[in-house]
Amino acid sequence: MTSHQNTQTMKPATAAKKLGVCLEATPAEFREGVVTRAELNALQADPPAWLRELRREGPHPRPVVAAKLGVSIAGLHRGGVAEPLTTAQIDALKQERPEWLEREQAVQADVRKEAARVKKLHAERAERAEDTRRD
């Protein structure tokens, strides 16, 4: 019995999301075809010039913009940022430090602190439970 492996493919939008770039900014040949898992891996391992340029200059999708600004995607929305931004636009926002950005960065810092506190609490409980089992 022989088995052959089907090639896993994905839509260009899915591949662009995995690459962290805006689909609309990719070359036409990327947008018009399908991307195999092997092609995606190759793009990640050795990005071509167009991908390096997109990652460096943008436009960047919302998850990347949010990460670069240190806020959540919801925070971007609350701040009125609905469109992809270029690196220059992100840098300008960092320089301007609008009120919404400072507020959302503070919210995100609180969220991270709480997540760390909960993680530590769970680790301590797990350790106590493990100690109880040993006794």
Side-chain angles (χ1 to χ4, degrees):
M1 179 181 246
T2 60
S3 66
H4 60 87
Q5 187 175 11
N6 289 339
T7 303
Q8 184 180 6
T9 61
M10 62 192 84
K11 295 177 182 177
T14 303
K17 186 175 184 178
K18 289 180 182 289
L19 293 170
V21 296
C22 289
L23 178 63
E24 300 78 25
T26 61
E29 61 270 9
F30 181 86
R31 289 190 309 265
E32 294 167 359
V34 293
V35 180
T36 66
R37 174 63 63 183
E39 290 169 337
L40 178 67
N41 290 342
L43 288 169
Q44 289 172 325
D46 186 22
W50 64 265
L51 182 53
R52 288 192 307 271
E53 178 72 14
L54 272 179
R55 286 178 169 168
R56 187 174 45 254
E57 301 299 327
H60 304 289
R62 284 181 303 164
V64 174
V65 173
K68 287 179 180 273
L69 290 174
V71 300
S72 66
I73 294 172
L76 281 180
H77 182 72
R78 286 188 294 268
V81 178
E83 299 297 319
L85 299 179
T86 64
T87 300
Q89 290 170 314
I90 293 168
D91 291 342
L93 276 173
K94 287 179 179 178
Q95 292 296 317
E96 293 168 13
R97 308 265 327 136
E99 185 181 319
W100 71 264
L101 180 58
E102 290 189 12
R103 183 176 58 250
E104 292 300 334
Q105 286 174 334
V107 166
Q108 195 67 10
D110 289 344
V111 167
R112 281 191 216 100
K113 276 191 235 174
E114 180 62 11
R117 185 189 71 77
V118 169
K119 182 177 179 181
K120 181 180 176 187
L121 180 66
H122 286 298
E124 289 170 354
R125 284 182 180 166
E127 187 176 315
R128 282 196 305 269
E130 185 65 29
D131 289 345
T132 303
R133 279 187 233 132
R134 284 188 206 141
D135 293 342

